[in-house]
């Protein structure tokens, strides 16, 4: 399974703002420069992260973004579920468009569904705090640009 760039960018934005102190604001320009990502992409990502309550936006001069909750409360599995369009690993996962003739007897479908559940079990077992355990090292790389 491969995550979309949108989900990748969402997780990276959360890591960036999470690596800063709670009182420090980040700008989209800073994040764009640090990761080498388009500002336009990041504007869409930060808007959605704000809608889902992960970050808060402070408008005006000197404004920016920061986490709106403790990193220990941001579950990685939940973020991935909210930012991915679908989890149709194969055609038969989508009942509306499935045309595979072997679906009624296919054992691969069950195997792949189990694999997807295991994937989410791992992601659900971790929070943003878990990926920020090396905050100082992340900051040394991200905030130097």
């Amino acid at each position: 399974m491969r995550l979309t760039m949108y989900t990748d960018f969402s997780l990276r934005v959360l890591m960036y703002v999470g690596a800063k102190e709670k009182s420090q604001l980040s700008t989209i320009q800073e994040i764009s420069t640090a990761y080498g990502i388009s500002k336009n992409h990041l504007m869409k990502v930060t808007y959605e992260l704000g809608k889902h309550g992960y970050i808060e936006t402070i408008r005006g001069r000197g404004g920016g973004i920061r986490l709106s909750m403790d990193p220990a409360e941001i579950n990685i599995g939940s973020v991935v579920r909210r930012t991915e369009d679908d989890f149709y690993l194969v055609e038969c996962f989508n009942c509306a468009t499935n045309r595979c003739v072997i679906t009624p007897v296919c054992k691969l479908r069950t195997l792949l569904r189990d694999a997807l559940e295991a994937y989410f079990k791992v992601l659900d077992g971790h929070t943003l705090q878990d990926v920020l355990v090396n905050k100082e090292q992340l900051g040394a790389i991200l905030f130097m640009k």
Side-chain angles (χ1 to χ4, degrees), residues 18-55:
K20 287 196 167 186
E21 296 302 317
K22 175 78 171 142
S23 62
Q24 292 180 305
L25 296 175
S26 301
T27 66
I28 291 173
Q29 182 61 58
E30 280 174 41
I31 300 168
S32 171
T33 300
Y35 286 124
I37 297 172
S38 157
K39 267 180 57 175
N40 290 337
H41 281 60
L42 290 178
M43 289 173 68
K44 294 173 192 170
V45 166
T46 56
Y47 174 75
E48 286 298 318
L49 290 173
K51 265 182 38 179
H52 293 302
Y54 296 120
I55 61 172

Side-chain angles (χ1 to χ4, degrees), residues 1-15:
M1 182 174 162
R2 184 175 186 169
L3 297 177
T4 60
M5 283 185 358
Y6 188 86
T7 298
D8 179 23
F9 293 172
S10 296
L11 292 168
R12 288 202 250 170
V13 166
L14 292 173
M15 289 174 67

Side-chain angles (χ1 to χ4, degrees), residues 87-105:
F87 297 99
Y88 303 141
L89 299 181
V90 288
E91 178 184 355
C92 59
F93 277 30
N94 184 345
C95 296
T97 60
N98 180 27
R99 294 186 312 165
C100 181
V101 296
I102 64 171
T103 299
V105 296

Side-chain angles (χ1 to χ4, degrees), residues 38-90:
S38 157
K39 267 180 57 175
N40 290 337
H41 281 60
L42 290 178
M43 289 173 68
K44 294 173 192 170
V45 166
T46 56
Y47 174 75
E48 286 298 318
L49 290 173
K51 265 182 38 179
H52 293 302
Y54 296 120
I55 61 172
E56 62 179 318
T57 304
I58 297 17
R59 296 196 181 276
R61 189 173 184 188
I65 61 172
R66 66 179 166 215
L67 290 179
S68 62
M69 56 178 61
D70 189 282
E73 296 174 3
I74 299 175
N75 182 273
I76 300 298
S78 293
V79 173
V80 170
R81 281 184 185 86
R82 285 185 168 164
T83 55
E84 281 295 311
D85 290 336
D86 68 63
F87 297 99
Y88 303 141
L89 299 181
V90 288

